Amino acid sequence: MRPTVNDIAREAGVSLATVDRVLNARPGVRDKTVRAVNDAIDRLGYVRNVAAANLARQRRYRFLFILPAVQSQFVQALSDAIIESARGPLAEASEVIIATVPQRDPHAIVTVLDDQGDQPIDGCAIMAHETPEVRDLIIRLKEQGTAVVSLITDQPQAPRDHFVGIDNHAAGRTAGILLGRFVGPTPGKVAVVVSSMLARDMVDRRLGFDEVLAERFPHLQALPSLEGHDDRDLTAQITAACLASHENVVAVYVAGAGTRGVNEALRKAGLSGKTVVVAHELTAHTRAGLEDGSIDAVISQDVGHLARSALRVLRANADRLPIDEGQEQIRITILLRENLPATSDSARLAAGDPGEAAA
């Protein structure tokens, strides 16, 4: 027979009420008693049916996703994937809220929680630059007992519970290998376009990229980062200025959003299709760039997997349950014109979970 809460109470020498408080992480129980109850749970092999417990208590979750308010096809695709996931079984008995915050206003994120009213937030997924304001928000959420995951770009200096996204250092190294091999032995300079160096994913990608160029392609010189702040016109302007200021720019690494602006600048300079371009994320624009040859390779991550993983991790942390690390590992995908999935295949992958457990 499966052990019950009565068995736990007898094994730990405490009351049923105390066991209930420990299982539901309610205050008012001494640390020594919490350890005794958890030790009894381990000895008995007790597995709690969280779904049944939540149903009995008629619990509903509130999950908040904080995304940047930027001109980005990728962020829009991510938002759409979150909305789609919110309609599925992962969001059962849950309310999923998406809040957008101006990315270049570090103080705007402070008001996000105040805008949610008096109802508590059970979990929060945050895609934002690594700033003191974001760190303080995460600290505030954790003090309130809210599960927190960083999404796409990590917040390693803050007490978040989990990071949902690819290994961005590895992604930068992958970009370096691809770009170096596409360029070949020709010496030259490489323009590097980022969203902002306040974003941890941009920092990690840049570090990985520079490592590979130094190790494997010393004949290529990576120029200082150009910050486009996810603005197409600004990205086009700074890329054009870089091309005008430096001779022999043989490649461009677009580490964040801004591929449209980069390609616009390359076209005006007569360099489209002649300059190697490696970019990130499969969007309508990068797909078109792969198809017409203006982009050589795209390093992608599945927005559907990102949205579902964030919901799974938030739910598990809210219920204080372990997560399946293998299922939540977001893999890096390298796309070329030759292996570009059909549009219908992309939509299917965004809506379902094929291969996700093995990711």
Side-chain angles (χ1 to χ4, degrees):
M1 292 179 59
R2 292 182 179 179
T4 67
V5 289
N6 289 291
D7 298 323
I8 296 172
R10 282 194 298 271
E11 181 74 13
V14 299
S15 67
L16 281 173
T18 298
V19 172
D20 180 74
R21 282 197 291 272
V22 173
L23 287 174
N24 291 288
R26 286 195 281 268
V29 185
R30 293 180 300 173
D31 290 343
K32 180 179 179 181
T33 304
V34 171
R35 286 195 297 272
V37 171
N38 286 328
D39 288 345
I41 288 171
D42 291 340
R43 287 194 299 272
L44 294 171
Y46 174 79
V47 178
R48 188 183 183 208
N49 188 335
V50 175
N54 288 340
L55 182 62
R57 289 182 292 155
Q58 295 186 324
R59 179 178 182 180
R60 281 189 62 82
Y61 300 85
R62 295 186 80 228
F63 295 134
L64 173 65
F65 283 75
I66 300 176
L67 303 180
V70 292
Q71 303 172 16
S72 168
Q73 292 178 347
F74 174 71
V75 173
Q76 183 58 57
L78 176 62
S79 179
D80 292 343
I82 293 166
I83 293 169
E84 183 66 27
S85 297
R87 299 187 181 120
L90 281 175
E92 184 178 354
S94 302
E95 178 186 3
V96 177
I97 307 152
I98 298 176
T100 57
V101 178
Q103 192 161 241
R104 300 179 74 174
D105 180 359
H107 302 287
I109 201 166
V110 178
T111 64
V112 170
L113 286 187
D114 297 331
D115 293 342
Q116 303 310 310
D118 297 330
Q119 290 183 284
I121 299 295
D122 295 289
C124 184
I126 301 175
M127 178 183 176
H129 292 339
E130 190 180 17
T131 64
E133 291 80 8
V134 174
R135 182 199 60 213
D136 292 346
L137 174 66
I138 293 173
I139 291 172
R140 178 182 168 190
L141 285 163
K142 292 306 301 175
E143 287 175 347
Q144 296 172 356
T146 304
V148 179
V149 301
S150 51
L151 183 61
I152 311 295
T153 180
D154 200 5
Q155 304 285 337
Q157 305 306 315
R160 50 71 172 154
D161 296 297
H162 193 77
F163 167 56
V164 176
I166 58 174
D167 180 336
N168 284 295
H169 181 264
R173 289 187 63 87
T174 302
I177 291 289
L178 291 168
L179 184 142
R181 290 183 175 178
F182 275 115
V183 171
T186 304
K189 298 173 183 177
V190 180
V192 181
V193 179
V194 302
S195 297
S196 167
M197 290 304 284
L198 289 175
R200 173 61 65 164
D201 57 338
M202 298 295 101
V203 173
D204 288 344
R205 290 176 188 179
R206 177 79 212 229
L207 287 172
F209 182 78
D210 287 349
E211 286 175 1
V212 165
L213 260 58
E215 294 166 6
R216 304 279 296 273
F217 308 103
H219 59 286
L220 297 177
Q221 177 193 352
L223 297 171
S225 298
L226 304 172
E227 295 184 284
H229 297 288
D230 298 314
D231 184 298
R232 174 183 178 176
D233 294 336
L234 175 61
T235 301
Q237 291 169 14
I238 60 176
T239 302
C242 177
L243 294 173
S245 302
H246 296 278
E247 295 182 354
N248 199 28
V249 175
V250 295
V252 182
Y253 172 38
V254 189
T259 313
R260 284 178 289 179
V262 167
N263 278 354
E264 180 181 320
L266 288 172
R267 278 195 300 272
K268 289 182 177 179
L271 296 173
S272 182
K274 302 175 184 178
T275 303
V276 171
V277 176
V278 174
H280 280 263
E281 314 311 347
L282 182 60
T283 65
H285 183 78
T286 55
R287 169 184 287 279
L290 286 171
E291 290 173 342
D292 67 21
S294 60
I295 298 175
D296 295 276
V298 168
I299 299 165
S300 184
Q301 52 190 323
D302 185 340
V303 291
H305 192 178
L306 288 163
R308 293 185 296 273
S309 182
L311 276 172
R312 278 193 297 262
V313 172
L314 288 175
R315 186 81 171 246
N317 277 282
D319 287 331
R320 293 172 176 79
L321 293 175
I323 64 172
D324 183 338
E325 293 286 354
Q327 188 177 33
E328 309 314 340
Q329 182 181 354
I330 311 298
R331 38 175 199 191
I332 296 169
T333 302
I334 299 171
L335 295 172
L336 310 174
R337 180 167 54 186
E338 287 71 20
N339 71 338
L340 191 60
T343 305
S344 58
D345 291 338
S346 299
R348 175 180 56 79
L349 288 172
D353 276 4
E356 191 166 300

